[in-house]
Amino acid sequence: MLTPAEFTLWQLVTAQFRLGRDSDHGPHHWLTVLRNGLHLARHHPADEQIVRLFALFHDSCRENESRDPEHGPRGAQLALEFRTAGHFELDDTRMDLLVTACRIHNGGPPQSDPTLAVCLDADRLDLGRVGITPDPARLSTATAQSIATRQAWHELE
Ligand SMILES: [Fe+2]
């Protein structure tokens, strides 16, 4: 799932992550978001490289496991710093989308842009890890809404 270059980048971001490898918001979750995002990107015209970078950066600067409303903007800032340092390449237009996705992912409304939609849904589909059933009304893509609806029905059975 990770290219060799991505693996190096993931190691660098993981090294600065404060909450440890077993965190609910740590590298295991990032990989699940990547897997979810790549699945959704097969059904919606999202920019796959942005989805991959979002999975890595969106929770990379969390400082606690509960309320941390500024972690999205901090993750966006880290992505900007890593691009400036040459750890990955992305043109300015696509970087703006990555920054937006990181900034709004925590509580932002459903999105119509397919890349933003897939990024946010990839994260929200993993809410079950912290005991929250994803709400289809908070999801942006028909594919994620369908998955969440099936999960909700499954829990009622
Ligand atoms: Fe997340």
Side-chain angles (χ1 to χ4, degrees):
M1 194 154 51
L2 295 179
T3 66
E6 279 180 318
F7 186 72
T8 301
L9 181 60
W10 278 59
Q11 285 183 312
L12 288 170
V13 175
T14 299
Q16 66 78 51
F17 182 61
R18 294 185 180 193
L19 302 180
R21 289 177 180 272
D22 296 330
S23 163
D24 282 338
H25 299 92
H28 184 76
H29 164 61
W30 307 346
L31 280 170
T32 303
V33 173
L34 175 58
R35 185 196 66 198
N36 290 346
L38 294 180
H39 174 75
L40 294 174
R42 285 165 47 195
H43 301 278
H44 303 276
D47 184 317
E48 188 177 303
Q49 189 184 359
I50 295 173
V51 171
R52 287 175 168 275
L53 289 164
F54 171 82
L56 174 61
F57 283 105
H58 78 286
D59 277 346
S60 63
C61 294
R62 263 199 172 266
E63 295 178 350
N64 64 60
E65 302 282 16
S66 55
R67 191 172 148 69
D68 185 1
E70 291 305 310
H71 77 273
R74 286 196 303 272
Q77 183 60 35
L78 186 70
L80 286 164
E81 291 169 11
F82 268 55
R83 187 184 74 148
T84 298
H87 294 307
F88 68 89
E89 294 181 4
L90 201 65
D91 65 58
D92 288 346
T93 301
R94 297 163 79 208
M95 191 68 201
D96 283 347
L97 264 183
L98 174 61
V99 164
T100 298
C102 289
R103 283 185 177 152
I104 69 171
H105 85 272
N106 187 32
Q111 299 293 308
S112 56
D113 176 275
T115 298
L116 295 177
V118 164
C119 287
L120 269 58
D121 284 1
D123 185 34
R124 290 173 186 178
L125 283 177
D126 195 31
L127 281 169
R129 78 193 188 284
V130 288
I132 299 172
T133 302
D135 177 359
R138 302 284 300 158
L139 296 169
S140 304
T141 66
T143 304
Q145 288 165 351
S146 171
I147 292 168
T149 300
R150 285 201 303 273
Q151 285 177 348
W153 276 105
H154 191 68
E155 286 181 9
L156 289 174
E157 290 173 356

